[in-house]
Amino acid sequence: MTTSAASSAVVPSQGKRPAFRTVRLILRRPAGAVSFAFLVGLVVTAVFAPVLAPYDPYAQSLSEQFQGPSAAHWLGTDDYGRDVLSRLIYATRIVVVAPVVAVGIAVLLGLPAGLLAGYLRGRFDAVLSRIADALLSIPAIVAAIAIVAVLGPGIGPTMIAIGLVFAPRLYRIVRGATLTVVEEGYIDAAESIGCSTRRILWVHCLPNVLAPLLVQVTLMMGFALLAEAGLSFLGLGVQLPEASWGSMLKAAADQQFRAPYAVVPPGVCLTLTILALNTLGDVVRDVTADRKNS
Amino acid sequence: MVIRLLRRLGISLVSLFLVAVVVFLLMQAAPGDAAEALVGSDATAAEVEAARERLGLNEPLVVQFGNWLLAAVQGDFGTSLYSDRPVIDSLLAAAPATISISVVALLIAAVLGVTAGTVAGLRQNSWADRGVSLLATLGIAMPNFWVGLLLVSVFAFDLGWLPATGYVPIEQGFGDWLRHVILPAFALALAMTAEVARQTRGGVVDVLSRPYILAARARGASRGWLVRKHVLRNSAIPVVTVFGLQSASLLGGVVIIEAVFGISGLGTLAITSVVRQDYPVIQAYVVLVALIVIVINLLVDISYGWINPKVRS
Amino acid sequence: MNATAARHETVLSVDTLRLDLLGSPGQPGLVEDVSFQVRAGETVALIGESGCGKSITSLAVLDLLPPQVVVASGTISVAGEDVTAATARRMDALRGSVVGSVFQDPMSSLDPTMTVGAQIAESRRLHLREPRKVALERAVELLELVGIPNPRARAAAYPYELSGGMQQRALIAAAIACEPRLLIADEPTTALDVTVQAEILELLADLQQRTGMGMLLVTHDLGVVAGIADRVVVMYAGQTVEQAPTEELFANPAHPYTRALLSSVPQAGRRLTALPIIPGRVPPAGAFPAGCRFHDRCAFAEARCLDGEIPGNRAGRQSRCHQA
C-alpha cells in the first residue's frame, strides 16, 4: 500500500531505457530517420573532411577562377579558383561545431536558471522572467550584433553571442516545463521526505523537462546555424578565407555580377541542414507528446 | 479594458527600461575609451581627460546611465564617435529605407500568408493544401539572405528586370521606389509568410470543427459568407500572435537583407558601426529596435481584445 | 393554402435511409432502413441512446453530414424537395429558410466574436436579403418573441454575456427567424440546467403551436418526449425499432427495447424502487449484431431473432420485432 502510493507520487521512472525508446520511435518515422541520417552524414563529413575533400580548400589558382561544374571540379571553382566542393566539405566543421557550442552555452545558462525559477517561483522567478522577457524584445540577430560589437568579430565571439542570445529563450522553456512538473505534485512528495533542493532539481525536475528541452535544442541548432551563417555573411563571424557556408555566400555575393549562380551550392547546403534540424525537431516533439499521452 | 491596457503599458515600459540597462552595461564592457576615440590617438593626456569630463565619463555608472536615459527620452542619443554627428541624425537618415522594406515585407507576409493559409485550411488534404505545406516548410528553412541572393541572380543579373542594389526614396517616385524595394521585401517576407500561412491553416482547420460553424451553416451561410463572417475572425488570434513574434525576427532579418541589396538602412549603419566601434550608435540602434518590437507586441495585445470581445472584459 | 391542407402537409419525409461510413465497405450502415415523417403542426420525437444514429440522421436531413459519412440509399425530402439530390447552393437556400435548427450546446453553437443580434439577423440577411439594420431590428423582435427581457440590450451583447438558457433562446430565435416549415431541435436541452430545460421545451412547444411548423425533436430523454411530442420514433443501433403516437407508446410499448427504455425512467406516482437497467450496452457502429440488433440484450430473444432482417413495418403497429 505504502509502496504503491510512494511510487505513484515519485517521478515516473526515467532510466536509460525510455531514452533509447524515444530514439527508436524517432527513427521509425521516415522523416525522422532521413533527417537523422543526413545530420549523421554531416558529422561524418566534418570528421573525415581531409579524406573526403578532393582538393585543398585554401589552394588558390587564379587561372581557374569561376569555373562551372566539370569532371575535375564537380561544383566549379570560386573567385580565387578554389574548389567549391572541397570548401563546402571543410565548412561542415563549422556547421557541426558552431551550433553545438552556441546552444551548449545557452543550455549552460538557461537550464539551471529555468529550473531554479520554476522550482523556487516567487521573487526570484519574477525578476528573472521580467528580464528574460525584456531581452526577448531584442531580435536575435540584433542582439548578437551588439554582443559581437563588444567582443569583436570572429567565430568564437559569434558563438558566444548566439549562445547568450538564446539563453533567455531556453530559460523560458525550461521554466515553463519545471512549473508544470512542480504543479503536478510529486515534488511536494519529494520535499516531504526531505530531499535537498539540488537533488529535487536534478533528480526530479530535470528528467521531466528533458523532452521539451530536447525539442527546443534541436530547433535551436537550426536557428544557431542560421545566425552563424548570417553573421558570417555580414563579415562578423567566420573570417575569410576560412570556409563556412555563410562566408562562402558572402564571397559569392561579392562577385555575383560575374558568377550569378555561385550562391547556389552553399545556400542549398544551409537550407537542407536547417530543414533536417527543423524536421527532426518536429518529429521529436510529436514522439515525446505521444509518449506523454500514452 | 482600460486597466488591462494600462497594466500592459506599464509592463512594456519596464521591459524597455530593462533593455536600456542591459545594453548600457554591455557597452560599458566594450574595449577602448570613448574619450580617446573622440579626441583622436595623437591627443595629449590632458585633452583626453577634458573629453572624459565633458562626456561625463568620470561620473558613477548610475549617473552616467541616468544622464543617457534622460537625454534619450528627449531624442538625444549622444554623438557618434566616428562622425561627430548626433546619433539620432544618423538613425533618422537610415530609417526610411529600413522602414520601407520592412513595411512592404509585412504587407506581403500578411496578405500572402493569410490567403495561402486560408485556402489550405478550407481545402484540407487537397493538392493546394499539400503545396502550401511544402512551400511553408521550405520557406522556413531557407535563409532569407540566400533567397535574396537568388532573387538578385534571377531577376537582376539574369533577366535584368529589377535593380540588384540600392534604394530610392519614395519622394523620388513611387515606381522607382517600388522597383528597388520589392525584391528585398520579398526575400525578407518569405519566412514570415510561411509561418503566417501555417498558423492560419491551423487556425482555420480548428475553427471549421467548431459547433458554431455548423450552426451558421444550418442557418444557410454559404462558403464565402462563412469564411468572411465567421472563420477569419475566429482564427485570427494565433495568426496575430505569430505576426507579433515574426515581426521581431523580421526586424533582425532586415539587417542581413540590407547587406545583400546594398541598401544603407539601419542595419547597414549598425554593421558599419560595429566595424568602427562606434558604440553610441549601436546602443541607440538596439534600444530603438527593441522599442519597435515592444510597441508591436503592445498592438498585438490590444488586438486580442478587438478580435475576441471576451478578452475585453 | 388553407389551414387544413397546411396541417396535413408532410414537411419532412425520410424513406428507407441508409448512411455509410466511407472506407468501411461491407460493414452495416451507420443508419439503416430508417423511415419516418413529420407533418406540419406536428412534433415528432426521435429518441434513442447516444450512438444510435439519431443525431447523424438529423444532420443528413440538413445535408450537413461530416465528410466521411454519405447517404448510401433512400431519400430525404424536406417540404417536397429531395435533399439528397439538391445542389450545395440549393441546400444553402433551404437551410435557415425552410428548415431551422437548434443544437445541443448553446455556448459553443454561438460564434464568440459576433453579437447575439447579428447571429440572429444572419439568416434574414442571407435568405431575405434584408439590409443589416432592418435584420438587426427584426432580431430584437425575435428575442422578445422567445421571451428574453430587455431584448435590445441582449441583441448587442456577446454570447459569453448571456446565461445558458438565454443563449439557447437566442439560438431558437435565430432558427425561426425566417419562419421555417420544419424545425430540427437536436438535444436542445441536454446542456442546460434542469430548471431551464422545462422553460426551453415550453418555448419550443409554444412556438410550434403558434407557427404551425413541424418539429423534429432529437433526444435521449423520455421525459422531454412525454411533454411535447405528438409521435415518437424510437431508434436503436442505427435502425428505427418502433414508432407510435406518444400516448399509445407510453401506454402500450410494443418493442422490448421501448419497454426497457420506459421502465428505466422514474415516474411520479410509482413507488420508489431500484430502477431496472438494460443489461449490456449499445453496440458501436460497425459491430451491429446480425438479425435483430437488440437480441443480445433482450429478455425475450429466441432463435429466429438471431438472423435475417426483421421488417419494421407491420400491419397496425410499426415495431421491428417478431413478437409485436
Side-chain angles (χ1 to χ4, degrees):
Chain A
M1 186 63 214
T2 342
T3 353
S4 76
S7 66
S8 65
V10 168
V11 184
S13 82
Q14 300 275 346
K16 282 232 150 59
R17 276 165 190 283
F20 279 126
R21 249 195 50 214
T22 306
V23 172
R24 251 209 344 264
L25 284 173
I26 291 166
L27 294 183
R28 200 177 294 158
R29 305 202 179 193
V34 171
S35 336
F36 192 77
F38 181 89
L39 296 170
V40 169
L42 265 187
V43 175
V44 171
T45 309
V47 173
F48 294 104
V51 185
L52 292 170
Y55 295 92
D56 176 350
Y58 306 110
Q60 301 185 3
S61 167
L62 292 178
S63 60
E64 292 183 299
Q65 267 176 306
F66 296 121
Q67 288 187 352
S70 64
H73 299 282
W74 290 1
L75 292 176
T77 58
D78 71 0
D79 48 346
Y80 288 93
R82 297 174 294 213
D83 181 54
V84 170
L85 180 62
S86 302
R87 287 181 69 72
L88 283 178
I89 289 174
Y90 269 88
T92 53
R93 299 186 149 188
I94 300 279
V95 172
V96 170
V97 173
V100 173
V101 173
V103 176
I105 293 171
V107 171
L108 226 56
L109 294 170
L111 179 62
L115 280 173
L116 266 176
Y119 173 63
L120 296 175
R121 292 178 277 185
R123 189 163 295 173
F124 180 79
D125 174 33
V127 170
L128 224 56
S129 295
R130 184 59 63 233
I131 294 175
D133 280 354
L135 291 181
L136 287 181
S137 56
I138 311 175
I141 289 283
V142 173
I145 287 171
I147 295 169
V148 171
V150 173
L151 298 178
I155 182 66
T158 302
M159 289 188 290
I160 296 173
I162 297 169
L164 289 176
V165 168
F166 284 170
R169 277 154 236 263
L170 211 95
Y171 160 84
R172 287 253 298 238
I173 303 283
V174 174
R175 173 189 169 269
T178 312
L179 262 182
T180 15
V181 173
V182 169
E183 278 157 8
E184 269 167 20
Y186 40 81
I187 301 303
D188 285 345
E191 274 172 355
S192 69
I193 58 170
C195 288
S196 68
T197 300
R198 181 193 270 193
R199 189 178 156 77
I200 287 173
L201 286 182
W202 291 112
V203 178
H204 298 287
C205 293
L206 183 64
N208 287 286
V209 304
L210 275 184
L213 185 70
L214 189 64
V215 174
Q216 206 53 37
V217 161
T218 317
L219 294 175
M220 251 179 205
M221 294 275 187
F223 288 122
L225 179 60
L226 196 58
E228 180 274 313
L231 290 172
S232 295
F233 180 81
L234 291 173
L236 300 179
V238 171
Q239 303 293 306
L240 289 165
E242 189 78 44
S244 105
W245 294 343
S247 69
M248 290 178 72
L249 272 178
K250 177 174 171 52
D254 289 342
Q255 305 291 332
Q256 208 179 2
F257 57 96
R258 294 174 65 185
Y261 291 99
V263 295
V264 173
V268 169
C269 291
L270 262 176
T271 303
L272 287 178
T273 309
I274 293 166
L275 194 60
L277 285 165
N278 287 354
T279 311
L280 193 64
D282 286 346
V283 173
V284 173
R285 190 202 316 260
D286 290 353
V287 165
T288 49
D290 283 357
R291 272 197 52 196
K292 199 164 187 185
N293 292 339
S294 67
Chain B
M1 182 66 184
V2 177
I3 292 171
R4 204 179 72 87
L5 266 185
L6 286 177
R7 213 183 104 76
R8 205 51 199 74
L9 197 65
I11 292 174
S12 301
L13 286 175
V14 171
S15 282
L16 191 60
F17 177 78
L18 287 172
V19 167
V21 172
V22 170
V23 175
F24 177 81
L25 290 177
L26 182 68
M27 293 303 145
Q28 293 305 311
D33 184 359
E36 276 178 43
L38 201 64
V39 291
S41 50
D42 46 318
T44 64
E47 280 172 327
V48 173
E49 191 46 43
R52 289 187 69 80
E53 196 61 43
R54 191 156 42 85
L55 290 171
L57 295 178
N58 292 329
E59 304 278 355
L61 272 188
V62 180
V63 176
Q64 286 189 40
F65 176 69
N67 288 338
W68 180 85
L69 192 66
L70 215 63
V73 170
Q74 296 162 20
D76 174 11
F77 289 91
T79 312
S80 161
L81 300 179
Y82 178 82
S83 67
D84 272 342
R85 283 172 64 195
V87 170
I88 189 72
D89 289 356
S90 311
L91 290 176
L92 286 180
T98 305
I99 292 172
S100 298
I101 306 170
S102 308
V103 168
V104 174
L106 282 173
L107 282 178
I108 292 172
V111 174
L112 223 60
V114 169
T115 310
T118 308
V119 168
L122 288 177
R123 296 171 207 280
Q124 230 186 113
N125 298 325
S126 67
W127 281 108
D129 183 18
R130 269 163 235 200
V132 168
S133 242
L134 185 75
L135 283 180
T137 309
L138 268 180
I140 290 166
M142 290 203 284
N144 61 14
F145 54 97
W146 182 53
V147 175
L149 290 171
L150 287 181
L151 290 176
V152 168
S153 287
V154 175
F155 291 100
F157 289 124
D158 228 3
L159 299 172
W161 291 353
L162 291 164
T165 57
Y167 170 76
V168 172
I170 196 164
E171 300 86 7
Q172 295 178 23
F174 180 79
D176 221 20
W177 170 81
L178 193 65
R179 274 163 43 82
H180 283 85
V181 161
I182 197 79
L183 283 186
F186 249 104
L188 189 58
L190 186 69
M192 182 164 174
T193 309
E195 288 284 4
V196 169
R198 266 192 181 181
Q199 208 56 248
T200 307
R201 179 196 180 273
V204 167
V205 167
D206 175 53
V207 167
L208 283 179
S209 71
R210 298 301 178 99
Y212 56 80
I213 294 297
L214 186 73
R217 292 190 65 195
R219 255 174 256 142
S222 62
R223 204 188 175 85
W225 178 283
L226 207 61
V227 172
R228 282 199 312 276
K229 305 278 173 178
H230 297 283
V231 176
L232 283 182
R233 188 160 191 160
N234 277 289
S235 46
I237 286 209
V239 177
V240 170
T241 307
V242 87
F243 209 80
L245 290 173
Q246 286 293 313
S247 14
S249 40
L250 191 136
L251 286 173
V254 73
V255 178
I256 313 184
I257 289 298
E258 284 176 13
V260 171
F261 289 90
I263 292 170
S264 347
L266 288 173
T268 309
L269 178 66
I271 301 301
T272 43
S273 301
V274 170
V275 176
R276 292 169 182 165
Q277 302 195 318
D278 196 348
Y279 300 112
V281 177
I282 300 168
Q283 188 176 356
Y285 165 72
V286 176
V287 173
L288 190 73
V289 173
L291 170 70
I292 297 172
V293 172
I294 287 168
V295 169
I296 290 174
N297 285 338
L298 194 63
L299 291 177
V300 164
D301 216 62
I302 292 169
S303 78
Y304 289 158
W306 177 76
I307 295 165
N308 187 348
K310 198 169 176 178
V311 180
R312 264 178 246 163
S313 61
Chain C
M1 192 184 289
N2 66 49
T4 26
R7 275 267 131 196
H8 295 292
E9 179 209 13
T10 302
V11 289
L12 170 64
S13 167
V14 175
D15 188 29
T16 56
L17 179 70
R18 179 188 163 118
L19 300 177
D20 275 356
L21 189 63
L22 284 180
S24 52
Q27 296 278 332
L30 285 178
V31 160
E32 230 172 64
D33 194 19
V34 166
S35 305
F36 62 87
Q37 273 147 28
V38 180
R39 282 186 284 273
E42 179 188 48
T43 297
V44 174
L46 191 58
I47 190 165
E49 292 166 88
S50 62
C52 72
K54 57 190 191 303
S55 282
I56 202 88
T57 303
S58 70
L59 286 179
V61 172
L62 292 164
D63 192 27
L64 287 179
L65 287 169
Q68 64 275 21
V69 179
V70 290
V71 176
S73 60
T75 54
I76 301 168
S77 62
V78 171
E81 208 163 330
D82 186 355
V83 169
T84 54
T87 61
R89 225 193 139 98
R90 182 66 198 140
M91 281 316 298
D92 285 343
L94 284 179
R95 286 190 291 255
S97 63
V98 178
V99 204
S101 7
V102 180
F103 296 98
Q104 177 167 347
D105 182 5
M107 179 75 209
S108 55
S109 296
L110 283 163
D111 185 332
T113 62
M114 217 186 214
T115 61
V116 170
Q119 295 183 66
I120 296 169
E122 205 167 24
S123 54
R124 292 193 72 87
R125 293 180 62 192
L126 281 159
H127 300 294
L128 307 175
R129 305 262 161 230
E130 277 184 357
R132 210 175 66 92
K133 284 239 170 86
V134 178
L136 277 173
E137 206 47 47
R138 178 71 186 141
V140 175
E141 292 167 28
L142 281 160
L143 281 171
E144 190 161 22
L145 183 71
V146 298
I148 288 187
N150 198 1
R152 196 162 295 275
R154 301 298 180 198
Y158 285 92
Y160 76 95
E161 297 172 297
L162 269 57
S163 69
M166 290 248 212
Q167 289 170 348
Q168 195 61 301
R169 281 175 193 267
L171 280 163
I172 291 169
I176 61 164
C178 293
E179 293 160 25
R181 315 265 282 282
L182 172 67
L183 182 71
I184 299 179
D186 186 354
E187 304 270 12
T189 58
T190 308
L192 302 175
D193 290 343
V194 182
T195 47
V196 182
Q197 287 186 0
E199 291 172 24
I200 294 293
L201 287 173
E202 206 175 297
L203 171 66
L204 283 171
D206 177 52
L207 288 170
Q208 191 259 339
Q209 288 292 314
R210 269 205 265 175
T211 59
M213 61 187 172
M215 180 155 81
L216 179 67
L217 182 68
V218 181
T219 179
H220 67 280
D221 187 347
L222 277 167
V224 167
V225 172
I228 66 171
D230 298 305
R231 279 192 310 117
V232 182
V233 179
V234 183
M235 278 186 82
Y236 181 80
Q239 292 177 325
T240 46
V241 291
E242 179 168 6
Q243 41 186 306
T246 310
E247 278 158 41
E248 205 178 313
L249 187 103
F250 274 78
N252 187 17
H255 196 282
Y257 177 66
T258 316
R259 263 180 268 162
L261 210 58
L262 284 173
S263 64
S264 62
V265 176
Q267 269 164 12
R270 222 191 256 177
R271 251 201 308 153
L272 209 64
T273 50
L275 288 169
I277 52 163
I278 312 175
R281 52 171 61 184
V282 188
F288 297 144
C292 171
R293 292 179 175 182
F294 187 59
H295 75 76
D296 54 347
R297 300 172 75 190
C298 179
F300 312 100
E302 40 190 278
R304 60 177 172 156
C305 301
L306 300 187
D307 51 37
E309 278 301 302
I310 294 138
N313 260 322
R314 293 147 160 266
R317 194 66 180 267
Q318 294 191 329
S319 166
R320 198 182 292 275
C321 180
H322 285 303
Q323 294 157 347

